[in-house]
């Protein structure tokens, strides 16, 4: 009789084991996304604070309101406040990773309005007064909604914190609808 020897093999786990390089990449991606959110979000919040409060060399609500009125937004100060609040709160939301799809929608909506009323007639490039800057802001905000704010964000505890098609579609749809209403007034 032949005795069969069975070699002991440890059971194979159904869960994949992360490669050490994957862990380093994940950490770099987490911190890189935080860097983008903080830089982009805080700069946009500062841009809104220029409109609202005259901070950082801005004109404040009265001067910004006159500029908005010259563009056809009536009453100018109300629309300046809406634009400034959208940039300030949207920027802070992205910086914190808080209500990310809503924060992205606020910034995208302001940029759609800027492209439709100010920069659209000047072509693509910023050097000619074109849409380049506004497109970049809108795309970064939409991408953050699609990717999700990352692990170092308040939204990580919520369903939309993982990003995906639904949060991105929500951000773009709300921005488009809000812009359509604003531009029709």
């Amino acid at each position: 009789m032949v005795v069969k020897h069975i070699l002991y093999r440890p059971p194979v786990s159904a869960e994949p084991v992360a490669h050490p390089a994957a862990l380093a990449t994940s950490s770099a991606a987490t911190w890189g996304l935080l860097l983008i959110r903080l830089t982009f979000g805080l700069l946009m919040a500062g841009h809104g604070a220029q409109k609202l409060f005259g901070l950082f060399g801005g004109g404040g609500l009265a001067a910004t309101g006159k500029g908005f009125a010259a563009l056809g937004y009536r009453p100018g100060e109300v629309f300046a406040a809406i634009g400034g609040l959208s940039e300030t709160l949207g920027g802070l939301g992205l910086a914190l990773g808080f209500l990310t799809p809503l924060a992205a929608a606020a910034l995208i909506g302001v940029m759609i309005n800027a492209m439709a009323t100010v920069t659209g007639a000047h072509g693509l490039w910023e050097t000619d007064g074109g849409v380049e800057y506004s497109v970049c802001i809108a795309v970064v905000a939409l991408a953050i909604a699609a990717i999700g704010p990352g692990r170092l964000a308040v939204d990580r505890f919520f369903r939309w914190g993982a990003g995906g098609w639904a949060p991105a579609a929500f951000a773009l749809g709300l921005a488009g609808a809000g812009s359509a209403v604003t531009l029709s007034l």
Side-chain angles (χ1 to χ4, degrees), residues 33 36-37 40-41 94 100-101 104 139-150 163-164:
L33 185 55
I36 290 169
R37 282 193 2 253
F40 179 76
L94 283 187
T100 302
V139 168
V140 168
L142 181 60
I144 292 172
I147 294 167

Side-chain angles (χ1 to χ4, degrees), residues 20-51:
L23 292 175
T25 303
S26 175
S27 179
T30 296
W31 288 97
L33 185 55
L34 177 65
L35 179 64
I36 290 169
R37 282 193 2 253
L38 286 175
T39 303
F40 179 76
L42 292 177
L43 285 173
M44 289 309 302
H47 193 73
Q50 289 178 315
K51 289 178 175 66

Side-chain angles (χ1 to χ4, degrees), residues 43-115:
L43 285 173
M44 289 309 302
H47 193 73
Q50 289 178 315
K51 289 178 175 66
L52 292 173
F53 311 115
L55 298 176
F56 313 116
L61 198 53
T64 304
K66 288 178 186 173
F68 271 60
L71 292 171
Y73 291 100
R74 306 251 190 266
E77 279 195 25
V78 170
F79 284 99
I82 292 169
L85 283 170
S86 295
E87 289 175 346
T88 302
L89 297 177
L92 290 174
L94 283 187
L96 294 171
F98 181 61
L99 300 174
T100 302
L102 189 60
L107 295 176
I108 295 167
V110 171
M111 292 305 110
I112 291 171
N113 276 275
M115 288 184 271

